[in-house]
Amino acid sequence: MKHRYVCARRVGVLALLTIMGIAAVAESPSALPEPAKKTIDFAQDIHSILAERCAECHMKGKAKGGFSMDTRDSFLKGSEDGPTVIEGNSAESELIKLVAGLDPDAVMPPKGERLSEEQVALLRAWIDQGVKWYDAASAEAAYKPSLNLANVELPPANETAGITNPVDRFINGYFEANKVAWPTPVSDAVFARRVYLDTIGLLPPPEELDAFVADTAADKYEKLAANLLGDNLGYAENWMTFWNDHLRNDFSGTGYIDGGRKQITQWLFDALYQNMPYDQFATQLINPTPESEGFVNGIVWRGVTAAAMRPSIQAASTVSQVFLGVNLKCASCHDSFIDHWKLVDSYGMASVFSDEPLELVRCDVAQGKQAQIKFLWDEAGTIDPSRTKTGRQAQLARIITSEGDGFFTRAIMNRIWAKFMGRGFIEPLDKIENEPWNSEMLDWLSRDLINNGYNLKHTMSLLLASRAYRLPSVSTPEDAKEKYVFTGPEVRRMN
């Protein structure tokens, strides 16, 4: 009969992990899953396991049994009984032994849903790969972008090499710094197919393609991009898809207590057809007209079944994500586990769109505190709580679209670059405070947009006419370990 004694250290760790609600997937060492054969991303692969099982007792300042998971250092330190993991050695880590149930007398937990083999494999690979962690404080210390755009000088042109487009002038210096030789551009036929699809969503007609390929003018790339962007109908029809996705302009019909949502389709089409300046475009969505109000009024999903499903919370989350590149979804329920945004930030923004004061609700538990109206970055400006809802929305729109809010123009530049090049300056697109691979070009393009009246077609024409846009497509593995270096547009799917 197997010895039933469990050492004091294991008992201590077991008690600490009870909150995790994780059961064993195995009852013998031979059944222990092999580590996952992939590069582990803490935010995508591990965070959800820890957040769902451990946060109540071991995160956000809580350290039951002396065990805190707020930082990598505290996690590696372990509990009062000692370390729970051995960095680089998952097979000998106490955490893995417990959650995998190698000892039938110390299965974690005694009852409840068991951890899947895939989850154990992810945890093993994470530990073997060095327990890499997303530490918001460390990330901020390493790189903290300014709210204001930098004043960047445009690099010199090289007429002899044909480096005259502003984008290419930045890329030229970037290539030199990263020891990358300019690849040979794609054929004119490939470029034409690419630019037609990106602007009006259609393939080039054979006769137009033949004429473009036969054209020997040096400025034919600029002319083709300008002509296609000048097709207002084709442009509007194609870019409706892009904006419908971002603005969530697709929910309607049965299944919603309020009958769905008011569509903004006609307003959106007209705005694209007329090439409405981007600051006005955002203003009319944040502080809406009767034609555009369906965006911030949100959706009542079969009623407000959870605090985070309120239309005002949805409005704050979507406005922040679309126009600022900030994901507040986690912070809509609780302080985020993977970045610095907090519940008060989400509710501060949501209060702008609420008809009545909002009480802070954490994970559907009322906190007994009233949310204070605020913008995400205090230095950008304040919102007067004494104003009406309409007045607050107007003030928020002015703050977001002001020249002092660099994240507004950075966010749209990042999205357009990603649309044409397959990957943004900043990844993910909704983590605008992450470090860009070329911050100078991003800020120059953002300021150039302002200087040209927030004309998105102007910026698109720079990108589409650049030599960088005509480079051969590349494929960067999702699990690439090396620092990203731009060498050409990423392979991407058609919309």
Side-chain angles (χ1 to χ4, degrees):
M1 180 177 181
K2 185 175 180 67
H3 200 293
R4 303 187 66 83
Y5 171 74
V6 181
C7 69
R9 175 183 170 188
R10 179 164 293 185
V11 170
V13 175
L14 181 60
L16 290 172
L17 294 175
T18 299
I19 190 65
M20 294 177 69
I22 302 173
V25 296
E27 294 187 357
S28 66
S30 61
L32 184 65
E34 291 294 319
K37 298 183 183 302
K38 59 172 288 187
T39 300
I40 299 297
D41 182 286
F42 176 78
Q44 295 182 5
D45 301 317
I46 304 300
H47 162 253
S48 60
I49 299 174
L50 302 183
E52 292 172 7
R53 310 294 189 177
C54 313
E56 185 174 344
C57 292
H58 304 293
M59 289 182 169
K60 297 301 175 184
K62 298 178 181 179
K64 186 175 181 181
F67 188 28
S68 169
M69 293 184 174
D70 278 341
T71 68
R72 181 177 183 275
D73 288 343
S74 65
F75 183 82
L76 290 176
K77 181 180 178 181
S79 70
E80 295 171 347
D81 299 310
T84 61
V85 300
I86 301 173
E87 183 179 351
N89 189 347
S90 64
E92 296 300 323
S93 294
E94 200 72 15
L95 178 98
I96 295 298
K97 295 177 182 179
L98 289 169
V99 299
L102 297 188
D103 184 347
D105 299 311
V107 176
M108 187 60 242
K111 299 179 181 179
E113 184 179 354
R114 296 186 172 190
L115 196 66
S116 69
E117 289 191 4
E118 180 182 4
Q119 289 172 315
V120 174
L122 288 172
L123 286 172
R124 287 204 62 189
W126 176 52
I127 294 171
D128 289 342
Q129 293 171 23
V131 196
K132 295 180 181 179
W133 198 281
Y134 181 92
D135 188 326
S138 297
E140 287 186 51
Y143 177 78
K144 187 172 180 60
S146 170
L147 179 68
N148 297 309
L149 296 174
N151 291 310
V152 180
E153 184 176 347
L154 184 63
N158 185 334
E159 298 281 352
T160 304
I163 307 297
T164 58
N165 182 288
V167 172
D168 296 334
R169 290 157 74 169
F170 279 102
I171 291 294
N172 193 50
Y174 174 83
F175 277 175
E176 290 178 359
N178 287 277
K179 296 180 173 55
V180 176
W182 275 95
T184 301
V186 296
S187 68
D188 287 350
V190 171
F191 164 77
R193 178 182 184 276
R194 187 180 289 178
V195 73
Y196 267 82
L197 288 172
D198 279 341
T199 51
I200 64 173
L202 299 173
L203 292 169
E207 62 277 9
E208 293 182 18
L209 177 61
D210 291 343
F212 175 76
V213 172
D215 190 354
T216 58
D219 62 349
K220 69 178 189 177
Y221 305 106
E222 291 87 343
K223 286 183 177 179
L224 180 57
N227 288 339
L228 290 171
L229 290 170
D231 179 358
N232 294 332
L233 178 60
Y235 172 84
E237 289 178 338
N238 182 47
W239 283 80
M240 283 289 291
T241 300
F242 176 89
W243 285 109
N244 276 336
D245 287 347
H246 286 303
L247 302 178
R248 303 172 68 202
N249 183 42
D250 57 353
F251 295 98
S252 63
T254 60
Y256 304 97
I257 287 178
D258 67 347
R261 74 180 296 173
K262 182 177 179 180
Q263 301 298 297
I264 63 169
T265 304
Q266 189 60 54
W267 175 89
L268 179 58
F269 179 85
D270 291 343
L272 294 172
Y273 187 90
Q274 299 163 11
N275 192 30
M276 181 184 290
Y278 187 63
D279 59 337
Q280 296 179 30
F281 179 89
T283 295
Q284 290 192 27
L285 288 168
I286 299 167
N287 182 35
T289 66
E291 293 74 27
S292 62
E293 64 183 1
F295 170 65
V296 291
N297 286 350
I299 312 161
V300 179
W301 302 78
R302 299 181 182 271
V304 180
T305 57
M309 301 303 290
R310 294 182 182 183
S312 58
I313 297 287
Q314 294 181 52
S317 178
T318 310
V319 165
S320 299
Q321 186 169 4
V322 173
F323 297 117
L324 297 169
V326 171
N327 193 333
L328 291 180
K329 289 183 173 63
C330 287
S332 296
C333 288
H334 48 72
D335 291 352
S336 176
F337 297 122
I338 58 173
D339 56 35
H340 66 86
W341 300 114
K342 299 184 180 301
L343 187 69
V344 294
D345 297 318
S346 177
Y347 270 74
M349 283 284 284
S351 295
V352 175
F353 302 99
S354 179
D355 292 311
E356 55 190 24
L358 293 177
E359 180 183 8
L360 290 174
V361 179
R362 182 185 185 278
C363 297
D364 281 334
V365 177
Q367 302 297 294
K369 298 179 182 178
Q370 184 173 312
Q372 302 299 308
I373 299 173
K374 66 185 292 290
F375 185 53
L376 296 177
W377 295 279
D378 293 335
E379 60 268 37
T382 58
I383 298 171
D384 186 353
S386 67
R387 292 194 175 194
T388 63
K389 175 183 173 182
T390 300
R392 296 193 302 270
Q393 290 179 189
Q395 195 169 25
L396 177 64
R398 284 195 295 272
I399 292 174
I400 287 179
T401 60
S402 70
E403 290 189 31
D405 176 16
F407 293 121
F408 172 64
T409 44
R410 285 187 190 122
I412 188 59
M413 285 301 96
N414 198 41
R415 294 191 189 283
I416 291 177
W417 183 276
K419 178 70 166 62
F420 291 154
M421 302 291 189
R423 187 188 192 281
F425 288 102
I426 300 168
E427 288 288 338
L429 299 181
D430 301 323
K431 297 278 285 186
I432 198 65
E433 292 179 309
N434 282 358
E435 186 172 6
W437 56 264
N438 194 320
S439 60
E440 290 189 343
M441 177 158 57
L442 175 59
D443 275 18
W444 187 91
L445 287 170
S446 298
R447 191 168 292 282
D448 184 65
L449 175 66
I450 297 172
N451 294 338
N452 285 276
Y454 293 88
N455 182 351
L456 290 180
K457 285 188 177 182
H458 163 78
T459 299
M460 291 178 184
S461 68
L462 290 181
L463 271 59
L464 295 173
S466 70
R467 184 175 174 182
Y469 177 75
R470 290 188 282 127
L471 294 179
S473 296
V474 298
S475 181
T476 303
E478 292 184 5
D479 59 349
K481 297 180 181 180
E482 300 81 11
K483 180 180 178 180
Y484 172 78
V485 175
F486 174 84
T487 56
E490 294 284 329
V491 174
R492 50 198 167 95
R493 296 171 178 168
M494 292 176 61
N495 64 26

